[in-house]
Amino acid sequence: MRVHKLTIAAMALAAGLSLTACQNDDAGTDQGAAPPAASTASSSTGGSGSTGSDQQGGTDSEGKTPAGTGGSDGTGGTGGTGATGGADENGKAAKCRTDELEITAIDATVGGDDRGTVAVDLKNGGGRDCSLAGHAGVDLKTNSGTLSAERTGQPAPLVVLKDGERTTFGITYPINDSGGSGVRITGLVVTPPDETKSVTLDWPGGATLPVTDGSGTPVQVGPLGSAGQGG
């Protein structure tokens, strides 16, 4: 009987230990399986959702915004180029300023003429296209005061000068062949069209003008783009 009781007790103890071991194995398996499942779901939702959103946002930002900015810059550049080229608001060449022009004068009298001619040259040195229209202002300094030239009345077309180009107009005056001392010319003052700033040059023509009765100026100025008697 004693041996029988010990055997039953030993079997009961072994069964209890086996059941406990199985329960511990099951619990370990469940605990080990649950965390990987949760980790995978978090990675899929967070990684995919976050990454997908960032990639889409990057595409919209990098694809559309730079393209729109480039178009705007290109349009602005075109407008800037027109302005830098010296054009006015109507797209025409802006007028030439006195400081942009190199103005010189030479004697252009043809032998045998009864009137002398001085050719005045205006060269564009402003680095841009510019325009001139009409007649330049011309005054002669004399020992009797300032003598202003009259216009010949000829048409005066618009002249557009590229950088380095030039135009010429003529000044005509009566030659002093009276035998008298006449009116001595001491200088030439030229004012470009639509300008108030003048340039004073040496007078390259005849030294004197004949004395007149004061009924009118004997000096005439032609339009831009011409030279010779009467312009």
Side-chain angles (χ1 to χ4, degrees):
M1 284 297 285
R2 181 176 178 81
V3 173
H4 226 43
K5 290 179 179 180
L6 289 173
T7 302
I8 293 172
M11 290 178 63
L13 179 61
L17 292 173
S18 176
L19 179 61
T20 301
C22 288
Q23 288 176 348
N24 289 339
D25 289 343
D26 291 342
T29 302
D30 291 342
Q31 291 175 357
S39 176
T40 301
S42 174
S43 175
S44 175
T45 303
S48 176
S50 174
T51 303
S53 175
D54 290 345
Q55 288 175 349
Q56 184 62 36
T59 300
D60 290 343
S61 174
E62 295 173 7
K64 294 180 180 179
T65 301
T69 303
S72 175
D73 290 344
T75 303
T78 301
T81 302
T84 309
D88 62 14
E89 59 184 7
N90 297 318
K92 298 179 180 179
K95 69 179 181 179
C96 301
R97 300 291 185 181
T98 301
D99 291 338
E100 296 176 313
L101 298 171
E102 300 173 17
I103 304 176
T104 56
I106 61 170
D107 183 14
T109 303
V110 177
D113 286 350
D114 60 352
R115 290 178 66 81
T117 301
V118 167
V120 179
D121 188 86
L122 293 83
K123 180 181 178 181
N124 179 12
R128 66 182 180 101
D129 293 359
C130 66
S131 63
L132 295 165
H135 292 73
V138 171
D139 296 294
L140 299 186
K141 291 183 175 183
T142 75
N143 60 342
S144 298
T146 299
L147 179 64
S148 296
E150 290 183 348
R151 297 176 181 178
T152 61
Q154 292 176 295
L158 175 72
V159 177
V160 177
L161 300 178
K162 294 184 180 298
D163 185 39
E165 289 185 342
R166 65 188 68 210
T167 186
T168 304
F169 68 88
I171 303 169
T172 60
Y173 62 95
I175 295 175
N176 182 17
D177 55 5
S178 65
S181 59
V183 178
R184 184 166 56 86
I185 303 172
T186 60
L188 168 64
V189 180
V190 177
T191 307
D194 299 321
E195 277 288 270
T196 57
K197 186 175 182 179
S198 303
V199 174
T200 300
L201 307 172
D202 292 333
W203 173 252
T208 61
L209 297 174
V211 177
T212 65
D213 58 8
S215 59
T217 176
V219 182
Q220 292 184 312
V221 55
L224 296 167
S226 65
Q229 288 193 354

